[in-house]
Amino acid sequence: MRLNSSQQQAVEYITGPCLVLAGAGSGKTRVIINKIAYLIRIKNYLPRHIAAITFTNKAAREMRERIAQSLSRQEARGLKIATFHTLGLDIIRKEYKHIGIKANFSLFDDHDQTALLKDLTEQWLDGDKDLINQLRSMISNWKNNLIDPQIALARAVTNREKLFAHCYQLYEQQLKSCSILDFDDLILLPTLLLKQNEEIREKWQNRLRYLLVDEYQDTNTSQYEFIKLLVGSRAKFTVVGDDDQSIYSWRGARPQNLMLLQQDFPELEVIKLEQNYRSSGRILKVANILIENNPHLFAKKLFSELGYGEEIRIITADSEEQEAEKVVNHLIGHRFSNGSKYGDYAILYRGNHQSRLIEKILMQSRIPYRISGGTSFFSRLEIKDLMAYLRLLTNPDDDNAFIRIINTPKRDIGPATVKKLGEWANSRGVSLFHACNDIGLGELLPSNRKASLQTFIEWFKSLIARVPNEPMQTIHELLHTIHYESWIYETSASPTAGQMRMRNVEQLLSWLDEMLKGDDINEPMTLEQAVARFTLRDMLELNNSEDEIDQVQLMTLHASKGLEFPYVYLIGMSEGLLPHQTSIDEENIDEERRLAYVGITRAQKELTFSYSRQRKQFGDTLHVEPSRFLAELPQDDLIWETKAVNTSPEQRKQHAQSRLDILKAQIANAKSKT
């Protein structure tokens, strides 16, 4: 498909700073891919001087795949496609001396971070999970806003703010003393380095001579500063974004960065992509009219050449249970009437709890479905175990990894032994791994416990020595030696659960093998590089199944961003749900409207809203009003379906079977005529 005039303009404008204001479904990824090819083939940029930055590993992976279809391996060699955090990690690894940390620093994930904060704040927070999570979130916000502990303490007003700032100070001291970085440090540290060190700044500006940034509206303060410092006065960059799809303020995203961009780069060229290649004209009309209620720095209006499309339905119900039934009944009837697949349908909602009733009805109706989200692949126990072993193989000074695996599986080294080892290591200023061989440790531990530690250490050292030459063979031998598969089955709830857990282990090993070998675009990695990438992937995204199973998709509006489906049900369109009550109380309706806009623009062919007049909360039945957003839509394009449909699971089953019989008869009839 040829580029339209706006897309072509966005591709060819390279003389200065460029903002591509890309509406939903307007082909922004095509623009980025074509612009990279244009820079290399037409403008003779060397691939190693170009970086394309995304927010998730999934987005980066998809971009690499698309690039591989447009450019040969030779043409793309050296091209950097990375997330903000992997680019930050690359800079830290190369400039660690200037940052003032050790070369073999460790990376903290959420669990590590929470465990440390729990230990550091025991006397004040008494292990309260909610308070610890609030503190972790506050520290993340401070780092994203480039606020160090001293500034946080100086700005603190309330006793709670002062306590949290003090805890932040203790937390930072602990990280620095152990050469540990958390997720937010991967942007904070390179940003501060580039800001403070002119020589390093010029070095990276010369290395990365053209920058492309996807989903720019999701950048926070530190990411914006990071970009600004990398592009410098040369200002050769293209950022692609849509302020109408900025839905992550709770994660620190600042759509105001669009305004900052215009202030900091007065020569900014703004190019709008308004032709939508996804949705019908009617769907875009209601999306445009809804979002017009928000203030805009740059106005735009999506249009489509795909036809005007079907009217938009609004299903009303007396209760949430009835709402779920009516939505599923409508989906069943629609699927059989149209001969569509289950995978063509998505049911979207504001909060995860809204899926429960829908799940119940789908299960009763024997309709396959999949909930996107849930437990991250890298948060599963078996993956955490294997990752800890890999982290220790690449960095024996990683105390968190050591603690996790020293008695997993059981090897007669209990908590008391680890506690004494930890006290000795702290007094000597060495890691737990290296403390195991200290002669003085024998005075603290019984000889059999010290022997167990030394046996483990000597075995592990032999593995570390083999890693550079035969990494995968070493890892397989490690798992065989500790009888990890047997231990998985022994500690699983059932043989099936054990089998699933081993599949997860095999999946991780398969990914690792691919990364060590490299592919058409990516050079082979060392085990250390691959482990660092895995740790980042755990932080960045939830596991996304690639199964090609025909099933209805259930997901939150936040999770739906970037996706598209022929038929979309947006449920729970009630005041208090969408917009959410917290946002109503905080007068943050604009972001809730953007969230509804994102949901609407996921639909390609047909869109259905639903809401119930009552819902339950903490055991009480609340009478609720329809969402104000429904009143903001053009009523001529809506069909309000108010008639109740009460059917039992058995009736739904009979209905589905009769539809199936009719369909089979039609197919048989068609075959008889051919």
Side-chain angles (χ1 to χ4, degrees), residues 8 31 135 182 277 339 384-385 534 539 558 607 612 637 663:
Q8 193 68 43
V31 167
L135 172 60
D182 66 22
Y277 293 93
K384 298 282 282 184
D385 290 342
F534 276 147
M539 296 172 177
H558 284 99
L607 172 66
S612 63
D637 293 283
L663 191 61

Side-chain angles (χ1 to χ4, degrees), residues 2-63:
R2 291 171 60 90
L3 296 175
N4 64 39
S5 58
S6 297
Q7 290 173 330
Q8 193 68 43
Q9 183 188 359
V11 165
E12 295 180 359
Y13 185 83
I14 64 165
T15 55
C18 179
L19 166 62
V20 179
L21 205 63
S26 62
K28 66 181 178 65
T29 307
R30 289 186 69 229
V31 167
I32 294 172
I33 300 302
N34 278 273
K35 189 152 195 170
I36 291 171
Y38 181 78
L39 287 165
I40 293 170
R41 288 176 171 167
I42 308 301
K43 293 302 178 180
N44 299 317
Y45 270 77
L46 294 175
R48 68 173 183 270
H49 290 155
I50 302 170
I53 306 177
T54 69
F55 273 83
T56 66
N57 282 311
K58 180 183 177 185
R61 191 163 56 246
E62 288 173 354
M63 196 174 290

Side-chain angles (χ1 to χ4, degrees), residues 661-674:
D661 291 342
I662 292 169
L663 191 61
K664 285 179 178 177
Q666 289 173 338
I667 294 170
N669 187 44
K671 284 182 177 178
S672 67
K673 292 179 180 179
T674 58

